[in-house]
Amino acid sequence: MRHKKKDRKLGRSSSHRKALMAALVCSLIEEKRIKTTLMKAKEAQPIADKMVTLGRRGTLASRRNAIAEIRREKIVAKLFNEIVPQFADRHGGYTRIVKLGRRRSDGSEMAILEWVGIAVPDKKKKKKTEKPEKTDAAA
């Protein structure tokens, strides 16, 4: 029986599981929203909330703890500089899980893990680049 067993193993070794969670949190910081299985989202959510809590402290030690957890300095810098200031007046509950239903191929429950109150940039819209006007210098 699994009485008082907190973590889900997700069918992986401990090092693989830690790397997976670090990658999920990094993707969440970069993309603002990720689509994954429900169990992975439930495991990654407390880690993401903990990273915001470390960012709110703002000390060097908390920055080093965040780097130790998610393993990428540029992502930690983005977390501390862009995401954490948006949660200055919020006390916990920085992320949400939205259930999507089952995946067609294998029936896994899918979910979206996203930040609360942060707008997600729309990837479908392409920015129009202005073309320089042609001059009649050659004529």
Side-chain angles (χ1 to χ4, degrees), residues 4 8 11-12 25 29 33 38 44 47 52 56 60 62 65 74 77 79 81 95 98 103-104 107 113 116 118 125-126:
K4 299 192 99 175
R8 296 170 184 91
R12 291 164 170 83
V25 173
I29 293 168
R33 172 188 288 174
L38 182 62
I47 297 169
V52 174
R56 289 187 67 187
L60 179 62
S62 62
N65 287 338
K74 290 181 182 177
L79 171 74
N81 297 331
T95 55
V98 180
R103 188 163 48 194
R104 246 183 112 137
L113 179 62
V116 174
I118 295 179
K125 292 182 181 178
K126 292 185 179 179

Side-chain angles (χ1 to χ4, degrees), residues 7-123:
D7 295 330
R8 296 170 184 91
K9 293 191 176 185
L10 302 173
R12 291 164 170 83
S13 65
S14 62
S15 59
H16 189 182
R17 200 166 43 247
K18 287 178 186 176
L20 172 70
M21 290 302 119
L24 284 174
V25 173
C26 287
S27 295
L28 179 64
I29 293 168
E30 281 184 325
E31 305 295 326
K32 311 288 192 279
R33 172 188 288 174
I34 57 172
K35 181 179 174 184
T36 183
T37 63
L38 182 62
M39 290 301 117
K40 288 179 189 174
K42 284 183 176 183
E43 278 295 303
Q45 186 177 23
I47 297 169
D49 288 347
K50 181 182 173 187
M51 294 301 108
V52 174
T53 303
L54 288 174
R56 289 187 67 187
R57 289 186 197 147
T59 62
L60 179 62
S62 62
R63 185 176 292 265
R64 286 178 175 166
N65 287 338
I67 291 170
E69 184 78 27
I70 60 177
R71 306 172 183 182
R72 292 191 201 158
E73 290 184 30
K74 290 181 182 177
I75 302 295
V76 171
K78 184 174 182 177
L79 171 74
F80 276 54
N81 297 331
E82 295 176 19
I83 294 178
V84 170
Q86 297 182 25
F87 294 119
D89 58 340
R90 189 174 188 93
H91 301 289
Y94 308 114
T95 55
R96 78 166 62 100
I97 295 175
V98 180
K99 293 182 182 180
L100 295 177
R102 295 194 173 269
R103 188 163 48 194
R104 246 183 112 137
S105 61
D106 61 356
S108 296
E109 287 189 59
M110 298 301 290
I112 291 177
L113 179 62
E114 63 186 1
W115 298 112
V116 174
I118 295 179
V120 179
D122 194 14
K123 290 185 177 182

